[in-house]
Amino acid sequence: CVTLDVQAACQDATVTQELLKEGFHRDLLVKVELGAVEEDAGGCAVAIQTHLPPGMYVDPYELASLQQQNLTKVVVIPDVVDVEAPEYLAKDLLVLLYLEPDPQCARCFRAALPVHVRYHRPAEESEEALVVLKSPEVLLCCCANRLSAECWKPAEVEAPCSGQNVGPCQWYSIMHKPAYEELILQVPVGLRQHSSLVCVMTLLATVLCSSLILAAACKYGDFS
């Protein structure tokens, strides 16, 4: 577990989240700065719990690779994710992301999570759809100590303290103030009035490519 050097009375934590990179493949960077907390909060793990909306998802195979390299620790519910589904056929994902201490800041923790944007339905007028990511819930999991009910409340999370495959621990929710209540991502979408043109161009491209492949097969193929 992460050890916290804490002595004063409990105060709100501060949470910021930011989407890095461009396009449909991003990194969600989450930073948590804990306020002054009680002495008995020492030896606790820090995590955030967030709901990814249907327009955004995480790739479980990518996360498994990162966890094997010890680059991230995360629990995704449900653990089976349809990475091909469009936004209008997808569901929310519950993500528990374990944070690591930030060496540049005392009482600061951070982690990055690779996220991907789903395709949306074509729109009538606007060429953009909005994906809204709410501020996450900040959690503490104390392996040996019990936290005061005045500063913490038990959270409904069944997950191990350290991200390892062991039995669940008791997580506690921290009062916090987000830098922004929500993070809004603008996703480019097609227009419905262009659907006929797209269908015609797709059909022509398919016929042309099929003809080229057939011609090459007839010219260079060995049918003996």
Side-chain angles (χ1 to χ4, degrees), residues 24-27 52 56-68 72 74-84 93-95 113-118:
F24 279 64
H25 307 284
R26 304 291 192 98
D27 284 337
L52 296 184
M56 186 178 294
Y57 71 95
V58 292
D59 186 338
Y61 301 103
E62 180 181 21
L63 294 182
S65 176
L66 292 174
Q67 295 196 100
Q68 287 179 355
T72 188
V74 62
V75 175
V76 181
I77 303 174
D79 56 359
V80 177
V81 180
D82 186 353
V83 299
E84 301 293 338
L93 294 176
L94 178 63
V95 175
L113 178 70
V115 296
H116 308 274
V117 181
R118 295 186 185 275

Side-chain angles (χ1 to χ4, degrees), residues 6-43:
V6 294
Q7 297 178 349
C10 56
Q11 298 177 0
D12 287 351
T14 302
V15 181
T16 58
Q17 53 182 357
E18 179 183 0
L19 283 171
L20 307 178
K21 301 180 180 179
E22 299 292 335
F24 279 64
H25 307 284
R26 304 291 192 98
D27 284 337
L28 175 62
L29 177 62
V30 181
K31 299 179 182 179
V32 173
E33 181 176 358
L34 297 179
V37 290
E38 296 179 332
E39 293 182 5
D40 59 359

Side-chain angles (χ1 to χ4, degrees), residues 87-88 120-127 189-199:
E87 176 270 341
Y88 48 88
H120 288 60
R121 288 184 187 274
E124 292 289 350
E125 298 178 357
S126 174
E127 295 184 3
V189 298
L191 296 176
R192 292 187 178 179
Q193 57 263 38
H194 295 162
S195 58
S196 298
L197 177 62
V198 171
C199 290

Side-chain angles (χ1 to χ4, degrees), residues 68-153:
Q68 287 179 355
Q69 303 174 54
N70 202 29
L71 296 178
T72 188
K73 297 178 181 178
V74 62
V75 175
V76 181
I77 303 174
D79 56 359
V80 177
V81 180
D82 186 353
V83 299
E84 301 293 338
E87 176 270 341
Y88 48 88
L89 295 178
K91 297 181 179 179
D92 290 4
L93 294 176
L94 178 63
V95 175
L96 180 67
L97 177 63
Y98 296 85
L99 307 184
E100 297 292 337
D102 187 342
Q104 300 180 352
C105 171
R107 292 201 183 100
C108 293
F109 299 80
R110 60 185 292 163
L113 178 70
V115 296
H116 308 274
V117 181
R118 295 186 185 275
Y119 290 104
H120 288 60
R121 288 184 187 274
E124 292 289 350
E125 298 178 357
S126 174
E127 295 184 3
E128 291 181 338
L130 300 181
V131 176
V132 179
L133 186 62
K134 299 292 185 180
S135 179
E137 180 182 7
V138 182
L139 302 173
L140 281 184
C141 176
C142 295
C143 301
N145 304 322
R146 294 182 62 85
L147 299 174
S148 170
E150 297 178 359
C151 301
W152 325 95
K153 62 178 181 178

